[in-house]
Amino acid sequence: MSLKQKINANQLPQHIAIIMDGNGRWANIKGKLRVFGHQNGVRPIRKVSEAAAELGIGYVTLYAFSTENWNRPEKEVKALMELLRKTIPQELPTLMKNNIRLNAIGDLKRLPEQNYKALMDAMKETETNTGLVLTLALSYSSRWEIVEAVKKITSEIQQGNYTAEAIDEKLFGAHLSTATMPDPDLLIRTSGEWRISNYMLWQIAYSELYFTDKFWPDFGKEDLYKAILAYQNRERRFGKTSDQLTTSSNKK
Ligand code: FPP
């Protein structure tokens, strides 16, 4: 039985968030420049998106460029932005073929104009696709997002839309850039690092965490299947006891 066949179609994670890490080290081991690692980080994005779409997963959110990544050497930032600008239109046929809708979260106004345009064009082109929602977190950090949500809520209170007492988890979540998505069920990080690195801190409150030593350029469909199988073997208790859960409803 293949790994894919072992996956229980009735217990799929609805939303998978991925911290794609290890491009630079992958390239260095091969005696190449870091940018070579980033270039080779595109193929796994395609593989994972295709595999997720085939399985019927609703959302995949990729940490493609963090707020902190702006502080990398200028040459690397430039190379990453160029790669992004070229890759987005190149990947359009794959997105269309797999009925994938492209989405983006983060401080997108900080992106170079051409990147912003390439992104908006691809999002527009795929907006009626009804399958997987593939979100790129770009110029994104969770603390930035939370501060932005606080600013929006404060402004709405000042405008008299509601009072501070009305703030609850639902209202707060509705002011995050992930408002239209369910929280991730599964968070995957590659490259052997066990950190969250300012990614979806609010949203991953009850996500299952999966770490693999594989560097991102080596991550493929089989690795995604392994992560999903590991997820399906976890007991999600959401603060309850094991006895409180019925075997079939492993839910909140
Ligand atoms: C982390 O590896 C990866 C990034 C900061 C960039 C991710 C970009 C890609 C996968 C390629 C292009 C993306 C799109 C959406 C077209 P790292 O550089 O931190 O690796 P290291 O930890 O080994 O240094």
Side-chain angles (χ1 to χ4, degrees):
M1 210 189 224
S2 70
L3 283 177
K4 190 180 180 187
Q5 286 167 331
K6 286 187 188 162
I7 292 174
N8 177 353
N10 299 317
Q11 208 202 320
L12 287 171
Q14 246 194 302
H15 183 178
I16 302 179
I18 306 182
I19 303 177
M20 310 180 287
D21 196 14
N23 292 352
R25 279 166 286 161
W26 181 90
N28 285 344
I29 287 168
K30 293 182 154 39
K32 306 268 191 188
L33 296 174
R34 294 176 57 81
V35 64
F36 181 71
H38 298 316
Q39 285 160 352
N40 280 277
V42 175
R43 184 183 51 254
I45 296 181
R46 193 182 308 128
K47 297 259 176 240
V48 162
S49 313
E50 273 178 2
E54 280 162 17
L55 287 170
I57 286 163
Y59 302 84
V60 168
T61 304
L62 304 171
Y63 206 4
F65 193 85
S66 72
T67 307
E68 290 74 23
N69 286 155
W70 287 116
N71 300 323
R72 288 195 173 189
E74 202 184 322
K75 215 170 135 197
E76 184 171 342
V77 172
K78 226 175 140 199
L80 264 168
M81 288 300 142
E82 203 177 307
L83 178 64
L84 193 70
R85 182 170 46 75
K86 280 193 190 146
T87 304
I88 293 172
Q90 268 168 17
E91 294 303 316
L92 251 182
T94 311
L95 298 176
M96 296 309 287
K97 186 178 132 232
N98 291 287
N99 195 21
I100 297 172
R101 179 154 69 84
L102 187 69
N103 179 37
I105 56 170
D107 193 359
L108 304 178
K109 290 193 204 88
R110 278 188 80 177
L111 295 174
E113 208 179 314
Q114 284 178 314
N115 285 58
Y116 185 80
K117 188 176 176 318
L119 194 61
M120 292 303 136
D121 287 350
M123 282 165 63
K124 182 102 193 102
E125 191 90 7
T126 62
E127 75 182 351
T128 53
N129 288 350
T130 53
L132 173 74
V133 177
L134 177 67
T135 301
L136 300 179
L138 285 167
S139 189
Y140 171 91
S141 83
S142 193
R143 288 183 176 180
W144 165 82
E145 178 187 41
I146 288 170
V147 168
E148 286 303 302
V150 171
K151 283 187 201 161
K152 280 185 236 160
I153 292 169
T154 310
S155 150
E156 285 164 10
I157 291 174
Q158 278 167 352
Q159 286 168 40
N161 295 0
Y162 48 85
T163 63
E165 283 66 42
I167 302 172
D168 58 11
E169 291 186 14
K170 195 162 166 243
L171 183 135
F172 193 80
H175 286 78
L176 295 172
S177 51
T178 51
T180 58
M181 313 175 195
D183 286 343
D185 302 294
L186 171 63
L187 171 74
I188 299 172
R189 182 172 189 147
T190 58
S191 91
E193 305 287 1
W194 293 36
R195 280 192 294 278
I196 302 302
S197 300
N198 214 349
Y199 194 41
M200 298 223 217
L201 300 176
W202 172 275
Q203 297 89 336
I204 61 164
Y206 280 102
S207 304
E208 294 297 328
L209 308 182
Y210 179 87
F211 300 99
T212 167
D213 285 341
K214 279 245 172 125
F215 291 131
W216 178 250
D218 288 331
F219 196 86
K221 288 189 176 188
E222 296 296 306
D223 298 296
L224 183 75
Y225 301 149
K226 269 188 213 162
I228 294 172
L229 285 166
Y231 163 84
Q232 294 191 331
N233 279 316
R234 307 258 179 103
E235 181 184 64
R236 305 187 74 194
R237 291 197 291 276
F238 298 99
K240 294 182 179 171
T241 68
S242 206
D243 289 345
Q244 285 176 298
L245 303 168
T246 62
T247 44
S248 63
S249 71
N250 199 9
K251 291 215 173 99
K252 209 173 197 174

